Amino acid sequence: CESLTSVTIPDSVTTIGDMAFYWCESLTSVTIPDSVTTIGDEAFYYCSSLTSVTIGDSVTTIGDYAFYACYDLTSITIPDSVTTIGNYAFYNCDSLTSVTIPDSVTTIGNGVFASCDSLAEFKGKFAADGGRCLIKDNTIIAYANASGTTYTIPDSVTTIGWGAFCDCSSLTSVTIPDSVTTIG
């Protein structure tokens, strides 16, 4: 549906299924009502004109690749109800500048913020090193690409996760401490 520019999701909807709005490249904004509990895999995949998303307060799961390649997405508020953010959920969201991970999140996937060129800061749960990265269970999940040209990984880190530094074009130097035993 490459010409679809807007959508109204009624309160009767509880799940946005896999690939529901896949490649709706003209879609500019969406409000997901409080009735929705799950955003499926690739639900908004390559909605490249999507600039804003409001996620209802009942969503618990954001699926794999849910907002993959939503290049114009500048902000997203992840509600306190979310417990799971899937693999590559926000991969290649080039216009995102800041993300807040709520305390409710217990599972966060690989490469979730990889290739987010404008991302300068993480806030909330798992935010570490002044918001420059996300660290969960001694694993760097993601690095805020626009937060600087050099980075020294904290000594508490034992693993660099898949995609943690993916496409960090402004990064010129990374110092890896002896504590790191695995690079994804």
Side-chain angles (χ1 to χ4, degrees):
C1 296
E2 62 189 39
S3 297
L4 182 67
T5 59
S6 67
V7 64
T8 301
I9 301 171
D11 289 338
S12 57
V13 174
T14 58
T15 299
I16 297 175
D18 295 349
M19 301 175 75
F21 298 97
Y22 186 96
W23 219 288
C24 292
E25 61 189 339
S26 297
L27 188 63
T28 58
S29 67
V30 66
T31 298
I32 299 168
D34 290 342
S35 59
V36 173
T37 59
T38 301
I39 299 171
D41 295 346
E42 301 176 350
F44 296 93
Y45 184 103
Y46 200 78
C47 291
S48 58
S49 297
L50 194 62
T51 58
S52 69
V53 175
T54 302
I55 299 176
D57 290 333
S58 296
V59 170
T60 59
T61 302
I62 298 173
D64 295 344
Y65 301 92
F67 296 95
Y68 181 97
C70 291
Y71 302 123
D72 290 343
L73 188 62
T74 57
S75 67
I76 187 151
T77 301
I78 301 170
D80 291 334
S81 57
V82 172
T83 59
T84 301
I85 301 173
N87 294 320
Y88 320 105
F90 298 96
Y91 185 99
N92 217 3
C93 291
D94 290 343
S95 298
L96 272 180
T97 58
S98 178
V99 174
T100 301
I101 307 295
D103 289 342
S104 57
V105 173
T106 56
T107 303
I108 190 165
N110 291 320
V112 69
F113 295 105
S115 291
C116 292
D117 295 344
S118 300
L119 192 56
E121 180 182 34
F122 292 108
K123 297 177 186 173
K125 192 170 187 179
F126 310 127
D129 199 10
R132 293 184 76 189
C133 64
L134 292 178
I135 298 177
K136 180 181 186 273
D137 300 330
N138 299 324
T139 299
I140 289 184
I141 299 166
Y143 175 75
N145 187 29
S147 70
T149 59
T150 63
Y151 186 63
T152 300
I153 296 172
D155 289 334
S156 61
V157 172
T158 57
T159 302
I160 299 171
W162 185 99
F165 294 97
C166 180
D167 208 16
C168 289
S169 57
S170 61
L171 201 55
T172 59
S173 171
V174 175
T175 302
I176 301 173
D178 290 339
S179 60
V180 172
T181 58
T182 305
I183 298 176

